[in-house]
Amino acid sequence: MAAPLPVICLAGPTGSGKTAAALAMADALDGEVINADSRQVYADFPCITAQPTAEERAHCPHHLYGFLPTAQKISAGRWADQATALARDILARGRTPLLVGGTGLYFNTLLHGTAQIPPVDPALTQALTDRMEAEGAARLHAELAQVDPAYAARIHPNDRQRIVRALEVRQATGNPFTWWHKNAMSPPPCAGPLLVLDAPLTWLEPRLARRLDMMLDAGAMNEARAALEHCNDDGAPGWSGIGCAEALAFLRGRLNFEECRSLWLRNTRAYAKRQLTWFRARKEALWLPPEDVDGVVAAARSRWAR
């Protein structure tokens, strides 16, 4: 087997300042940024998913941001294949691959390998998708919590794609998703430090509220309206993300504006809490103060072993 590719991973909860730290690392280590956030892959939602701005992207090369249509889904395995290919190319050019984002499963796949789950009958996938449309995400998420509580606790209750995937694996194989990720893993494609911004909820909460209001002022609802013209399917994977789902509920008339903002903020806080819980369970994580960009750069530099 080929040796894992050396990379640097920068993670943390939403709103913790990963972009600023990533740009500083790119300057110090001649780096290129690879997106490791499952929501920032969608082309229709650059504002709602807080993708790096055009000015930030001009600072250094950025990859895997805003490339996927709202109607398409992407698995952690597919993302890891693309990220690994990019890391190999970046290394071949003598630069440093910087994986930056907040999706724990992406980092886990990259640094620990992929669960070798047997193929699932497409008819089962379709049956669960049909149930999702008829019964709603909340009901199927509750069902998942009964058969795989550990995985259900890690994902958003409205994440239709991951709920269906976990249920189909459980039904097809007899083992829960978490079992496969503990007992049937492929070799990891990459290796390197996992730097995590230690942003507690008390520190994050006012920043998340300000960021949400900035998104709304910047035209988040207009962005969602335009996305509806590209994809009018409420069940499409791109609509399941935080912010996207709440904006869609507002545009469909299921929430008024204040209800939408309140739910969006509440769900964002809950997501940040889940992210912190997930990363705190990673023994390899190195926790760093979110506002100490120089400290993050120093930690990356000292652990970069090309």
Side-chain angles (χ1 to χ4, degrees), residues 116-118 120 144 147-148 165-181 183-184:
Q116 302 299 287
I117 301 171
V120 173
L144 177 61
V147 297
D148 194 353
R165 176 58 175 159
L167 285 173
E168 72 179 12
V169 167
R170 177 65 172 81
Q171 293 183 26
T173 70
N175 290 315
F177 211 45
T178 47
W179 183 93
W180 286 99
H181 281 91
N183 297 282

Side-chain angles (χ1 to χ4, degrees), residues 10 14 32 173 271:
L10 176 66
T14 183
E32 299 187 18
T173 70
Y271 178 53

